[in-house]
Amino acid sequence: MDFFVIQMRQNGIEVKRELLGDQPRLIGDLVITNSDDTRGRSTRIARLQKESGEVLLELLDAQVDAFKGSRMVLRGIESKQTAQGHAEFLQAWLCIEPLPPSDLSRALFQGIRR
């Protein structure tokens, strides 16, 4: 299912709420699966990926923290390579389901010609 995703942390540090609108918004299929990790334990993985399967973002030990209407917050661990080597950070995603245009907005644009 397609979602807009906004990362709510930068290298583990929370982005101030008033600055979240300035963060890049990625869109893709949000897929949550269970998988065995390298330590032999089961972990829940959330991935935001393109239709081609290319992974844009990945969240380990993902869990739903809040859910309201067309929005939810997923929390987990972001694993990435830094200048100092491999690092893991706390991460939270604000996931927003794109809403279909209403009948009213469709009616407003029906008369437009190109």
Coordinates of all heavy atoms in Angstrom, one line a residue, residues 1-2 5 17 19 21 23 32 38 40 42-43 50 62 64 68 72-73 75 79 93 99 102-103 105 108-111:
M1 N 0.8 -1.2 0.0 CA 0.0 0.0 0.0 C 0.9 1.2 0.0 O 1.9 1.3 0.7 CB -0.9 0.0 1.2 CG -1.7 1.2 1.4 SD -2.8 1.1 2.8 CE -4.3 0.5 2.1
D2 N 0.6 2.2 -0.8 CA 1.4 3.4 -0.9 C 1.2 4.3 0.3 O 0.1 4.5 0.8 CB 1.0 4.2 -2.2 CG 1.6 3.7 -3.4 OD1 2.6 3.0 -3.3 OD2 1.2 4.1 -4.5
V5 N 6.2 8.9 3.5 CA 6.9 8.7 4.7 C 7.8 9.8 5.0 O 8.6 10.3 4.1 CB 7.7 7.3 4.7 CG1 8.6 7.2 5.9 CG2 6.8 6.2 4.6
R17 N 9.0 19.2 15.9 CA 7.7 19.0 15.3 C 7.5 20.1 14.2 O 7.0 19.9 13.1 CB 6.6 19.0 16.3 CG 5.3 18.6 15.8 CD 4.3 18.5 16.9 NE 4.6 17.4 17.8 CZ 4.0 16.2 17.8 NH1 3.1 16.0 16.9 NH2 4.3 15.3 18.7
L19 N 9.5 21.5 12.4 CA 10.4 21.4 11.2 C 10.1 20.1 10.4 O 10.7 19.9 9.3 CB 11.9 21.4 11.7 CG 12.4 22.6 12.4 CD1 13.8 22.4 12.9 CD2 12.3 23.8 11.5
G21 N 7.7 19.5 8.5 CA 7.2 19.8 7.1 C 8.3 20.1 6.2 O 8.1 20.0 4.9
Q23 N 11.1 18.3 6.1 CA 11.8 17.0 5.8 C 11.3 16.4 4.5 O 10.2 16.6 4.1 CB 11.5 16.0 6.9 CG 12.0 16.4 8.3 CD 13.5 16.6 8.3 OE1 14.3 15.7 7.9 NE2 13.9 17.7 8.8
I32 N 5.6 -4.6 5.6 CA 6.0 -5.0 6.9 C 6.1 -6.6 6.9 O 5.1 -7.2 6.6 CB 5.2 -4.5 8.0 CG1 5.2 -3.0 8.0 CG2 5.7 -5.0 9.4 CD1 4.2 -2.3 8.9
T38 N 20.5 -11.8 11.6 CA 21.8 -12.5 11.6 C 22.1 -13.1 13.0 O 23.0 -14.0 13.2 CB 23.0 -11.6 11.3 OG1 22.9 -10.4 12.2 CG2 22.9 -11.1 9.9
G40 N 19.9 -14.8 14.6 CA 19.0 -16.0 14.8 C 17.7 -15.7 15.5 O 17.0 -16.6 15.9
S42 N 13.8 -13.7 15.4 CA 12.8 -13.1 14.5 C 12.7 -11.6 14.7 O 12.7 -11.2 15.9 CB 11.5 -13.8 14.7 OG 10.5 -13.3 13.8
T43 N 12.7 -10.8 13.7 CA 12.5 -9.4 13.8 C 11.5 -8.9 12.7 O 11.4 -9.5 11.7 CB 13.9 -8.7 13.6 OG1 13.7 -7.3 13.9 CG2 14.4 -8.9 12.2
K50 N 10.0 1.1 -3.9 CA 9.4 1.4 -5.2 C 8.7 0.2 -5.7 O 8.9 -0.9 -5.3 CB 10.5 1.9 -6.1 CG 11.1 3.2 -5.7 CD 12.1 3.6 -6.8 CE 12.8 4.9 -6.5 NZ 13.8 5.3 -7.5
A62 N 10.4 -3.0 13.8 CA 9.4 -2.0 13.6 C 8.2 -2.3 14.5 O 7.8 -3.4 14.6 CB 9.0 -1.9 12.1
V64 N 4.2 -0.3 15.5 CA 3.3 0.8 15.4 C 3.2 1.5 16.7 O 2.9 0.9 17.7 CB 1.9 0.3 14.9 CG1 0.9 1.5 14.9 CG2 2.0 -0.3 13.5
K68 N -3.9 7.0 13.7 CA -5.1 7.8 13.7 C -5.5 8.2 12.2 O -4.8 8.8 11.5 CB -4.9 9.1 14.5 CG -6.2 9.9 14.6 CD -6.0 11.1 15.5 CE -7.3 11.8 15.7 NZ -7.2 13.0 16.6
M72 N 0.0 7.1 10.6 CA 0.5 6.2 11.7 C 2.0 6.6 11.9 O 2.6 7.1 11.0 CB 0.3 4.7 11.4 CG 1.2 4.2 10.4 SD 0.9 2.4 10.2 CE 1.5 2.1 8.6
V73 N 2.5 6.3 13.1 CA 3.9 6.4 13.4 C 4.4 5.1 13.6 O 3.9 4.3 14.5 CB 4.1 7.3 14.6 CG1 5.5 7.4 15.0 CG2 3.5 8.7 14.3
R75 N 7.9 3.1 14.8 CA 9.2 3.3 15.5 C 10.1 2.0 15.3 O 9.5 0.9 15.2 CB 9.0 3.6 16.9 CG 8.3 4.9 17.2 CD 8.4 5.3 18.6 NE 7.6 6.5 18.8 CZ 8.0 7.7 18.6 NH1 9.2 7.9 18.2 NH2 7.3 8.7 18.9
S79 N 19.5 1.3 10.4 CA 20.9 0.8 10.3 C 21.5 1.4 9.1 O 20.9 1.3 8.0 CB 20.8 -0.8 10.2 OG 22.1 -1.2 10.1
W93 N 9.0 6.9 11.8 CA 8.5 7.4 10.5 C 7.0 7.9 10.7 O 6.2 7.2 11.3 CB 8.4 6.3 9.5 CG 9.7 5.7 9.0 CD1 11.0 6.1 9.3 CD2 9.8 4.5 8.3 NE1 11.9 5.3 8.7 CE2 11.2 4.3 8.1 CE3 9.0 3.6 7.7 CZ2 11.7 3.2 7.3 CZ3 9.5 2.5 7.0 CH2 10.8 2.3 6.8
L99 N -4.6 10.4 0.2 CA -6.1 10.3 0.1 C -6.5 10.5 -1.4 O -5.9 11.4 -2.0 CB -6.8 11.3 1.0 CG -6.5 11.2 2.5 CD1 -7.1 12.4 3.2 CD2 -7.1 9.9 3.0
S102 N -11.3 14.1 -3.9 CA -12.7 14.0 -3.6 C -13.5 14.2 -4.9 O -12.9 14.7 -5.9 CB -13.1 15.1 -2.6 OG -13.0 16.3 -3.2
D103 N -14.7 13.9 -4.9 CA -15.6 14.1 -6.1 C -15.6 15.6 -6.5 O -15.6 16.0 -7.6 CB -17.0 13.6 -5.9 CG -17.0 12.1 -5.8 OD1 -16.0 11.4 -6.3 OD2 -18.0 11.5 -5.3
S105 N -13.2 17.9 -6.0 CA -11.9 18.3 -6.7 C -11.9 17.8 -8.1 O -11.4 18.5 -9.0 CB -10.7 17.9 -5.9 OG -10.6 16.5 -5.8
L108 N -14.0 20.1 -10.3 CA -13.3 21.3 -10.5 C -12.4 21.3 -11.7 O -12.2 22.2 -12.4 CB -12.6 21.8 -9.3 CG -13.5 22.3 -8.1 CD1 -12.6 22.6 -6.9 CD2 -14.3 23.5 -8.5
F109 N -11.7 20.1 -11.9 CA -10.7 20.0 -12.9 C -11.2 19.3 -14.2 O -10.5 19.2 -15.2 CB -9.5 19.2 -12.4 CG -8.8 20.0 -11.3 CD1 -8.9 19.6 -10.0 CD2 -8.0 21.1 -11.6 CE1 -8.2 20.3 -9.0 CE2 -7.3 21.8 -10.7 CZ -7.4 21.4 -9.4
Q110 N -12.4 18.9 -14.3 CA -13.0 18.3 -15.5 C -13.0 19.2 -16.7 O -12.8 18.8 -17.8 CB -14.4 17.7 -15.2 CG -14.3 16.4 -14.5 CD -15.7 15.8 -14.2 OE1 -16.7 16.5 -14.4 NE2 -15.7 14.6 -13.7
G111 N -13.2 20.5 -16.5 CA -13.4 21.4 -17.6 C -12.0 21.9 -18.1 O -12.0 22.7 -19.1

